[in-house]
Amino acid sequence: MEVISRSYYADKIDSWLGSGQIIVLIGQRRVGKSYVMKDFVARHEKEPNSNIIYIDKEKRSFRFIQNCDELDAYIDARLVPDKHNYILIDEVQDIEGWEKSVRSYRTEDNVDILITGSNSKMLSGELGTMLGGRYEQILVQSLTYMEFLQFHHLTDNDDSLWKYLNYGGLPGLMTIGIDDEDRVWEYLSGIYNTVMLKDVIERHSIRNIPFLHNLISFIADTTGKLNSASNIAKYMKSQGVDISTNAVLNYMSFFEESFLTASVGRYDIHGKKLLESTGKTYFGDVGLRNYIAGGERQSDIEKVMENVVYHHLIHLGYSVTVGQLRAGEIDFVCTRPNQRVYVQVAWFIDSDTTFMREFGSLQAIGDAYPKYVISATPMLRSANHEGITHIHLRKFLSEGL
């Protein structure tokens, strides 16, 4: 596949060079971590003072590197003392004891290290211990809407937006093409099955595989709705499936570790505190969510929109929670250092009832932080209603807030 530079990640990686931190690219399988690394090579290999040592464990030519000693020998033979050495290791988890080598080379002068991984401990919270805390973790997401347009040579219009909402943003769709819908769903099916098999079933030795698929289907069907593990367990029992709350919690954590899903907690806006128990779940890629849920998008478009908005808010650098008011719910409370915004998501604002539901919830918040309603209302131009900004989904996905 053609390597298209994703400037967001290129700039983020380059900002950490020379800091003494190990740069770790994390994210779901097939979101493009390897191509972000290949782009790094293309951008830096022509620098006169650079020496790039690139190990791609997906290639059979690197199959002989099985452990940290063999890794050390390969790197030592290629280090150039009077140049800046960039050590890049793709799928590093396939090398036994890799963390010993990486920690060691981090202390060398004129060395920067960039690694990726797709499973095992690379998907858990153990990196801090393994790397001694000296690392910067960069989450690689599926394509944003603007990247989707670039990858597929599309213009920004309603048809392009619909394709993005339907098929999602996995970069590999560029080689498959998005004109043949059957091929798209076959591709997404393969990615879903690989993630479930490699990063969930095999990693955690899952035996109750039917329940696993039933649970992810339930999550896909209830995307954007408040849920709790206990409520899910009760629902499953009503369907004849006897499962404990702890089992539901464990299985949901497995999905999150593989970056297939992300859980979003609730925030009490009046009490200014995080609430326990219930929350919402969104998918790392909306195309995979749609494949799992099946059916036509017209019937669940608000769920899809909310998932896409969540995805983009994370890309913009916000920490996101669900807002809880005494009178109702705010879709997203978004925070960055010294900044907070509130966001409501709606498909169309086409009636007084819908207007009051979406704008009324924001008006009930007593502070002066910026408030937004994002919708796909036709012919919408940015509008302001009593301090609440109403913007079109396409404008938000192309320009942010």
Short mmCIF file of all heavy atoms in Angstrom, two decimals, residues 164-212:
data_model
loop_
_atom_site.label_atom_id
_atom_site.label_comp_id
_atom_site.label_asym_id
_atom_site.label_seq_id
_atom_site.Cartn_x
_atom_site.Cartn_y
_atom_site.Cartn_z
N TYR A 164 -17.96 7.59 4.93
CA TYR A 164 -17.15 7.55 6.15
C TYR A 164 -17.97 7.02 7.32
O TYR A 164 -17.49 6.17 8.10
CB TYR A 164 -16.63 8.95 6.46
CG TYR A 164 -15.73 9.03 7.68
CD1 TYR A 164 -14.49 8.39 7.70
CD2 TYR A 164 -16.12 9.76 8.80
CE1 TYR A 164 -13.67 8.48 8.82
CE2 TYR A 164 -15.30 9.86 9.90
CZ TYR A 164 -14.08 9.20 9.91
OH TYR A 164 -13.26 9.29 11.03
N LEU A 165 -19.21 7.50 7.46
CA LEU A 165 -20.06 7.03 8.55
C LEU A 165 -20.38 5.55 8.41
O LEU A 165 -20.56 4.84 9.40
CB LEU A 165 -21.37 7.82 8.57
CG LEU A 165 -21.27 9.31 8.92
CD1 LEU A 165 -22.63 9.97 8.77
CD2 LEU A 165 -20.73 9.52 10.32
N ASN A 166 -20.43 5.05 7.20
CA ASN A 166 -20.81 3.67 6.95
C ASN A 166 -19.61 2.72 7.06
O ASN A 166 -19.70 1.67 7.71
CB ASN A 166 -21.44 3.55 5.57
CG ASN A 166 -22.27 2.29 5.41
OD1 ASN A 166 -22.81 1.75 6.38
ND2 ASN A 166 -22.38 1.80 4.19
N TYR A 167 -18.50 3.07 6.41
CA TYR A 167 -17.37 2.15 6.29
C TYR A 167 -16.25 2.40 7.29
O TYR A 167 -15.37 1.54 7.47
CB TYR A 167 -16.79 2.22 4.88
CG TYR A 167 -17.77 1.88 3.78
CD1 TYR A 167 -17.78 2.59 2.59
CD2 TYR A 167 -18.70 0.86 3.94
CE1 TYR A 167 -18.68 2.29 1.57
CE2 TYR A 167 -19.60 0.55 2.95
CZ TYR A 167 -19.59 1.27 1.76
OH TYR A 167 -20.48 0.97 0.77
N GLY A 168 -16.23 3.56 7.94
CA GLY A 168 -15.18 3.83 8.91
C GLY A 168 -13.87 4.22 8.26
O GLY A 168 -13.81 4.52 7.06
N GLY A 169 -12.80 4.20 9.05
CA GLY A 169 -11.54 4.76 8.59
C GLY A 169 -10.34 3.86 8.69
O GLY A 169 -9.22 4.34 8.90
N LEU A 170 -10.51 2.55 8.53
CA LEU A 170 -9.32 1.70 8.52
C LEU A 170 -8.53 1.98 7.23
O LEU A 170 -9.09 1.92 6.13
CB LEU A 170 -9.70 0.23 8.61
CG LEU A 170 -10.27 -0.22 9.96
CD1 LEU A 170 -10.58 -1.71 9.93
CD2 LEU A 170 -9.31 0.10 11.11
N PRO A 171 -7.23 2.28 7.34
CA PRO A 171 -6.45 2.68 6.16
C PRO A 171 -6.42 1.63 5.05
O PRO A 171 -6.32 1.97 3.87
CB PRO A 171 -5.04 2.92 6.73
CG PRO A 171 -5.26 3.22 8.17
CD PRO A 171 -6.44 2.39 8.58
N GLY A 172 -6.49 0.33 5.41
CA GLY A 172 -6.41 -0.73 4.41
C GLY A 172 -7.53 -0.70 3.40
O GLY A 172 -7.43 -1.31 2.33
N LEU A 173 -8.61 0.03 3.70
CA LEU A 173 -9.70 0.14 2.73
C LEU A 173 -9.25 0.85 1.46
O LEU A 173 -9.91 0.75 0.42
CB LEU A 173 -10.88 0.89 3.35
CG LEU A 173 -11.73 0.12 4.37
CD1 LEU A 173 -12.77 1.04 4.99
CD2 LEU A 173 -12.41 -1.08 3.72
N MET A 174 -8.14 1.58 1.55
CA MET A 174 -7.64 2.27 0.36
C MET A 174 -7.28 1.27 -0.74
O MET A 174 -7.51 1.52 -1.92
CB MET A 174 -6.42 3.12 0.72
CG MET A 174 -5.91 3.98 -0.44
SD MET A 174 -4.51 5.02 0.02
CE MET A 174 -3.20 3.79 0.14
N THR A 175 -6.71 0.13 -0.36
CA THR A 175 -6.33 -0.87 -1.37
C THR A 175 -7.53 -1.71 -1.78
O THR A 175 -7.58 -2.22 -2.91
CB THR A 175 -5.22 -1.79 -0.83
OG1 THR A 175 -5.68 -2.44 0.36
CG2 THR A 175 -3.97 -1.00 -0.52
N ILE A 176 -8.50 -1.87 -0.89
CA ILE A 176 -9.71 -2.64 -1.21
C ILE A 176 -10.63 -1.84 -2.11
O ILE A 176 -11.27 -2.36 -3.03
CB ILE A 176 -10.46 -3.02 0.08
CG1 ILE A 176 -9.55 -3.84 1.01
CG2 ILE A 176 -11.74 -3.80 -0.23
CD1 ILE A 176 -9.06 -5.14 0.43
N GLY A 177 -10.70 -0.51 -1.85
CA GLY A 177 -11.65 0.34 -2.54
C GLY A 177 -12.98 0.34 -1.81
O GLY A 177 -13.33 -0.64 -1.14
N ILE A 178 -13.72 1.43 -1.93
CA ILE A 178 -14.99 1.53 -1.20
C ILE A 178 -16.18 1.60 -2.15
O ILE A 178 -17.28 1.95 -1.72
CB ILE A 178 -14.99 2.76 -0.25
CG1 ILE A 178 -14.64 4.04 -1.02
CG2 ILE A 178 -14.05 2.53 0.91
CD1 ILE A 178 -14.74 5.29 -0.17
N ASP A 179 -15.97 1.23 -3.41
CA ASP A 179 -17.08 1.22 -4.37
C ASP A 179 -17.83 -0.11 -4.37
O ASP A 179 -19.00 -0.16 -4.75
CB ASP A 179 -16.56 1.52 -5.78
CG ASP A 179 -16.00 2.93 -5.89
OD1 ASP A 179 -16.55 3.83 -5.22
OD2 ASP A 179 -15.01 3.13 -6.62
N ASP A 180 -17.15 -1.18 -3.96
CA ASP A 180 -17.78 -2.50 -3.90
C ASP A 180 -18.09 -2.80 -2.44
O ASP A 180 -17.22 -3.18 -1.66
CB ASP A 180 -16.84 -3.55 -4.48
CG ASP A 180 -17.48 -4.93 -4.58
OD1 ASP A 180 -18.42 -5.21 -3.81
OD2 ASP A 180 -17.03 -5.74 -5.41
N GLU A 181 -19.35 -2.62 -2.05
CA GLU A 181 -19.73 -2.75 -0.64
C GLU A 181 -19.47 -4.14 -0.10
O GLU A 181 -19.04 -4.30 1.05
CB GLU A 181 -21.20 -2.38 -0.45
CG GLU A 181 -21.61 -2.28 1.00
CD GLU A 181 -22.96 -1.60 1.18
OE1 GLU A 181 -23.79 -1.69 0.26
OE2 GLU A 181 -23.17 -0.99 2.24
N ASP A 182 -19.69 -5.17 -0.90
CA ASP A 182 -19.47 -6.54 -0.44
C ASP A 182 -18.01 -6.76 -0.06
O ASP A 182 -17.71 -7.41 0.95
CB ASP A 182 -19.89 -7.55 -1.52
CG ASP A 182 -21.40 -7.62 -1.69
OD1 ASP A 182 -22.12 -7.21 -0.77
OD2 ASP A 182 -21.85 -8.08 -2.76
N ARG A 183 -17.09 -6.22 -0.87
CA ARG A 183 -15.66 -6.37 -0.56
C ARG A 183 -15.29 -5.61 0.72
O ARG A 183 -14.45 -6.06 1.50
CB ARG A 183 -14.81 -5.88 -1.73
CG ARG A 183 -14.70 -6.90 -2.85
CD ARG A 183 -13.99 -6.31 -4.06
NE ARG A 183 -12.66 -5.80 -3.75
CZ ARG A 183 -11.55 -6.56 -3.67
NH1 ARG A 183 -11.64 -7.86 -3.87
NH2 ARG A 183 -10.39 -6.01 -3.43
N VAL A 184 -15.91 -4.46 0.92
CA VAL A 184 -15.65 -3.69 2.14
C VAL A 184 -16.03 -4.50 3.37
O VAL A 184 -15.25 -4.63 4.32
CB VAL A 184 -16.42 -2.35 2.13
CG1 VAL A 184 -16.31 -1.67 3.49
CG2 VAL A 184 -15.87 -1.43 1.04
N TRP A 185 -17.24 -5.09 3.36
CA TRP A 185 -17.68 -5.85 4.53
C TRP A 185 -16.84 -7.12 4.71
O TRP A 185 -16.58 -7.53 5.85
CB TRP A 185 -19.15 -6.20 4.42
CG TRP A 185 -20.06 -4.99 4.42
CD1 TRP A 185 -21.00 -4.68 3.50
CD2 TRP A 185 -20.08 -3.92 5.39
NE1 TRP A 185 -21.61 -3.49 3.82
CE2 TRP A 185 -21.08 -3.01 4.98
CE3 TRP A 185 -19.36 -3.66 6.55
CZ2 TRP A 185 -21.37 -1.85 5.69
CZ3 TRP A 185 -19.64 -2.50 7.27
CH2 TRP A 185 -20.63 -1.62 6.84
N GLU A 186 -16.39 -7.73 3.62
CA GLU A 186 -15.49 -8.89 3.74
C GLU A 186 -14.18 -8.49 4.40
O GLU A 186 -13.65 -9.21 5.26
CB GLU A 186 -15.22 -9.49 2.36
CG GLU A 186 -16.40 -10.26 1.77
CD GLU A 186 -16.10 -10.74 0.36
OE1 GLU A 186 -14.93 -10.71 -0.04
OE2 GLU A 186 -17.06 -11.12 -0.35
N TYR A 187 -13.65 -7.34 4.00
CA TYR A 187 -12.40 -6.85 4.60
C TYR A 187 -12.60 -6.57 6.10
O TYR A 187 -11.79 -7.00 6.93
CB TYR A 187 -11.95 -5.58 3.89
CG TYR A 187 -10.72 -4.94 4.52
CD1 TYR A 187 -9.45 -5.46 4.31
CD2 TYR A 187 -10.85 -3.81 5.34
CE1 TYR A 187 -8.33 -4.88 4.91
CE2 TYR A 187 -9.74 -3.23 5.94
CZ TYR A 187 -8.49 -3.77 5.71
OH TYR A 187 -7.39 -3.21 6.30
N LEU A 188 -13.66 -5.87 6.45
CA LEU A 188 -13.92 -5.55 7.85
C LEU A 188 -14.17 -6.82 8.67
O LEU A 188 -13.77 -6.91 9.83
CB LEU A 188 -15.11 -4.60 7.96
CG LEU A 188 -14.87 -3.19 7.40
CD1 LEU A 188 -16.15 -2.38 7.44
CD2 LEU A 188 -13.77 -2.48 8.18
N SER A 189 -14.81 -7.81 8.05
CA SER A 189 -15.02 -9.09 8.72
C SER A 189 -13.69 -9.73 9.08
O SER A 189 -13.50 -10.25 10.18
CB SER A 189 -15.84 -10.02 7.82
OG SER A 189 -15.88 -11.33 8.35
N GLY A 190 -12.75 -9.70 8.14
CA GLY A 190 -11.42 -10.28 8.40
C GLY A 190 -10.69 -9.59 9.53
O GLY A 190 -10.06 -10.24 10.38
N ILE A 191 -10.76 -8.25 9.57
CA ILE A 191 -10.10 -7.50 10.63
C ILE A 191 -10.75 -7.82 11.98
O ILE A 191 -10.05 -8.07 12.98
CB ILE A 191 -10.18 -5.98 10.36
CG1 ILE A 191 -9.51 -5.62 9.04
CG2 ILE A 191 -9.54 -5.21 11.52
CD1 ILE A 191 -8.06 -5.99 8.96
N TYR A 192 -12.07 -7.82 12.02
CA TYR A 192 -12.77 -8.13 13.27
C TYR A 192 -12.40 -9.51 13.79
O TYR A 192 -12.08 -9.68 14.98
CB TYR A 192 -14.28 -8.04 13.03
CG TYR A 192 -15.10 -8.65 14.15
CD1 TYR A 192 -15.20 -8.04 15.39
CD2 TYR A 192 -15.79 -9.85 13.96
CE1 TYR A 192 -15.95 -8.59 16.41
CE2 TYR A 192 -16.54 -10.41 14.97
CZ TYR A 192 -16.62 -9.79 16.20
OH TYR A 192 -17.35 -10.35 17.21
N ASN A 193 -12.42 -10.50 12.92
CA ASN A 193 -12.10 -11.87 13.35
C ASN A 193 -10.66 -11.99 13.82
O ASN A 193 -10.37 -12.72 14.78
CB ASN A 193 -12.37 -12.84 12.20
CG ASN A 193 -13.85 -13.03 11.94
OD1 ASN A 193 -14.66 -12.98 12.86
ND2 ASN A 193 -14.22 -13.22 10.68
N THR A 194 -9.75 -11.27 13.19
CA THR A 194 -8.34 -11.31 13.62
C THR A 194 -8.16 -10.69 14.99
O THR A 194 -7.48 -11.23 15.86
CB THR A 194 -7.45 -10.58 12.59
OG1 THR A 194 -7.57 -11.22 11.32
CG2 THR A 194 -5.99 -10.60 13.03
N VAL A 195 -8.77 -9.52 15.21
CA VAL A 195 -8.67 -8.86 16.52
C VAL A 195 -9.26 -9.75 17.61
O VAL A 195 -8.65 -9.94 18.67
CB VAL A 195 -9.39 -7.49 16.49
CG1 VAL A 195 -9.48 -6.90 17.90
CG2 VAL A 195 -8.66 -6.52 15.57
N MET A 196 -10.43 -10.30 17.34
CA MET A 196 -11.08 -11.15 18.35
C MET A 196 -10.25 -12.40 18.64
O MET A 196 -10.07 -12.78 19.80
CB MET A 196 -12.48 -11.55 17.87
CG MET A 196 -13.46 -10.40 17.87
SD MET A 196 -13.90 -9.83 19.53
CE MET A 196 -15.14 -11.03 19.97
N LEU A 197 -9.72 -13.03 17.58
CA LEU A 197 -8.96 -14.26 17.79
C LEU A 197 -7.63 -14.00 18.46
O LEU A 197 -7.30 -14.62 19.48
CB LEU A 197 -8.74 -14.96 16.44
CG LEU A 197 -7.90 -16.24 16.49
CD1 LEU A 197 -8.61 -17.32 17.32
CD2 LEU A 197 -7.62 -16.76 15.07
N LYS A 198 -6.83 -13.08 17.90
CA LYS A 198 -5.45 -12.88 18.38
C LYS A 198 -5.38 -12.10 19.69
O LYS A 198 -4.59 -12.44 20.58
CB LYS A 198 -4.64 -12.14 17.30
CG LYS A 198 -4.49 -12.89 15.99
CD LYS A 198 -3.64 -14.13 16.16
CE LYS A 198 -3.39 -14.81 14.82
NZ LYS A 198 -2.58 -16.05 14.99
N ASP A 199 -6.18 -11.04 19.80
CA ASP A 199 -6.03 -10.13 20.92
C ASP A 199 -7.02 -10.35 22.06
O ASP A 199 -6.88 -9.76 23.12
CB ASP A 199 -6.14 -8.67 20.43
CG ASP A 199 -5.04 -8.31 19.44
OD1 ASP A 199 -3.96 -8.91 19.55
OD2 ASP A 199 -5.27 -7.46 18.57
N VAL A 200 -8.02 -11.18 21.82
CA VAL A 200 -8.99 -11.45 22.88
C VAL A 200 -9.04 -12.94 23.21
O VAL A 200 -8.68 -13.36 24.31
CB VAL A 200 -10.41 -10.94 22.49
CG1 VAL A 200 -11.40 -11.24 23.61
CG2 VAL A 200 -10.38 -9.45 22.19
N ILE A 201 -9.45 -13.77 22.26
CA ILE A 201 -9.67 -15.20 22.54
C ILE A 201 -8.37 -15.91 22.90
O ILE A 201 -8.27 -16.57 23.94
CB ILE A 201 -10.35 -15.87 21.33
CG1 ILE A 201 -11.75 -15.29 21.13
CG2 ILE A 201 -10.43 -17.39 21.53
CD1 ILE A 201 -12.42 -15.72 19.84
N GLU A 202 -7.34 -15.78 22.05
CA GLU A 202 -6.08 -16.49 22.32
C GLU A 202 -5.35 -15.89 23.50
O GLU A 202 -4.81 -16.62 24.34
CB GLU A 202 -5.19 -16.46 21.07
CG GLU A 202 -5.70 -17.36 19.94
CD GLU A 202 -4.73 -17.41 18.78
OE1 GLU A 202 -3.73 -16.66 18.79
OE2 GLU A 202 -4.98 -18.20 17.85
N ARG A 203 -5.33 -14.58 23.59
CA ARG A 203 -4.55 -13.95 24.65
C ARG A 203 -5.12 -14.29 26.02
O ARG A 203 -4.39 -14.52 26.99
CB ARG A 203 -4.54 -12.44 24.46
CG ARG A 203 -3.69 -11.76 25.54
CD ARG A 203 -3.70 -10.28 25.47
NE ARG A 203 -2.95 -9.79 26.62
CZ ARG A 203 -3.15 -8.64 27.22
NH1 ARG A 203 -4.08 -7.85 26.79
NH2 ARG A 203 -2.43 -8.29 28.27
N HIS A 204 -6.45 -14.34 26.13
CA HIS A 204 -7.08 -14.55 27.43
C HIS A 204 -7.67 -15.95 27.58
O HIS A 204 -8.39 -16.21 28.55
CB HIS A 204 -8.17 -13.50 27.66
CG HIS A 204 -7.64 -12.10 27.69
ND1 HIS A 204 -6.96 -11.59 28.77
CD2 HIS A 204 -7.67 -11.10 26.76
CE1 HIS A 204 -6.61 -10.34 28.53
NE2 HIS A 204 -7.03 -10.02 27.32
N SER A 205 -7.34 -16.84 26.65
CA SER A 205 -7.80 -18.24 26.70
C SER A 205 -9.31 -18.32 26.93
O SER A 205 -9.79 -19.02 27.83
CB SER A 205 -7.05 -19.00 27.81
OG SER A 205 -5.66 -18.95 27.60
N ILE A 206 -10.05 -17.59 26.11
CA ILE A 206 -11.50 -17.54 26.24
C ILE A 206 -12.12 -18.87 25.78
O ILE A 206 -11.79 -19.37 24.71
CB ILE A 206 -12.10 -16.39 25.41
CG1 ILE A 206 -11.50 -15.04 25.86
CG2 ILE A 206 -13.62 -16.37 25.53
CD1 ILE A 206 -11.82 -14.66 27.27
N ARG A 207 -13.00 -19.42 26.58
CA ARG A 207 -13.70 -20.65 26.20
C ARG A 207 -15.14 -20.38 25.79
O ARG A 207 -15.68 -21.05 24.91
CB ARG A 207 -13.68 -21.63 27.37
CG ARG A 207 -12.27 -22.13 27.71
CD ARG A 207 -12.31 -23.14 28.84
NE ARG A 207 -10.98 -23.65 29.17
CZ ARG A 207 -10.74 -24.54 30.13
NH1 ARG A 207 -11.76 -25.02 30.85
NH2 ARG A 207 -9.51 -24.94 30.38
N ASN A 208 -15.75 -19.39 26.43
CA ASN A 208 -17.16 -19.10 26.13
C ASN A 208 -17.23 -18.13 24.95
O ASN A 208 -17.63 -16.97 25.07
CB ASN A 208 -17.84 -18.49 27.35
CG ASN A 208 -19.36 -18.49 27.22
OD1 ASN A 208 -19.89 -18.76 26.15
ND2 ASN A 208 -20.04 -18.16 28.30
N ILE A 209 -16.85 -18.61 23.79
CA ILE A 209 -16.76 -17.77 22.60
C ILE A 209 -18.13 -17.28 22.14
O ILE A 209 -18.26 -16.11 21.74
CB ILE A 209 -15.99 -18.51 21.48
CG1 ILE A 209 -14.55 -18.75 21.95
CG2 ILE A 209 -16.03 -17.72 20.18
CD1 ILE A 209 -13.72 -19.59 21.00
N PRO A 210 -19.18 -18.10 22.16
CA PRO A 210 -20.50 -17.58 21.76
C PRO A 210 -20.93 -16.36 22.58
O PRO A 210 -21.46 -15.39 22.03
CB PRO A 210 -21.43 -18.77 22.00
CG PRO A 210 -20.56 -19.97 21.83
CD PRO A 210 -19.24 -19.56 22.41
N PHE A 211 -20.71 -16.42 23.91
CA PHE A 211 -21.07 -15.26 24.72
C PHE A 211 -20.24 -14.04 24.33
O PHE A 211 -20.74 -12.91 24.31
CB PHE A 211 -20.90 -15.54 26.21
CG PHE A 211 -21.07 -14.30 27.04
CD1 PHE A 211 -22.34 -13.77 27.24
CD2 PHE A 211 -19.99 -13.65 27.60
CE1 PHE A 211 -22.52 -12.61 27.98
CE2 PHE A 211 -20.15 -12.49 28.34
CZ PHE A 211 -21.42 -11.97 28.53
N LEU A 212 -18.97 -14.26 24.04
CA LEU A 212 -18.09 -13.16 23.65
C LEU A 212 -18.67 -12.42 22.46
O LEU A 212 -18.75 -11.18 22.45
CB LEU A 212 -16.70 -13.71 23.31
CG LEU A 212 -15.56 -12.70 23.16
CD1 LEU A 212 -15.14 -12.18 24.53
CD2 LEU A 212 -14.38 -13.35 22.46
#
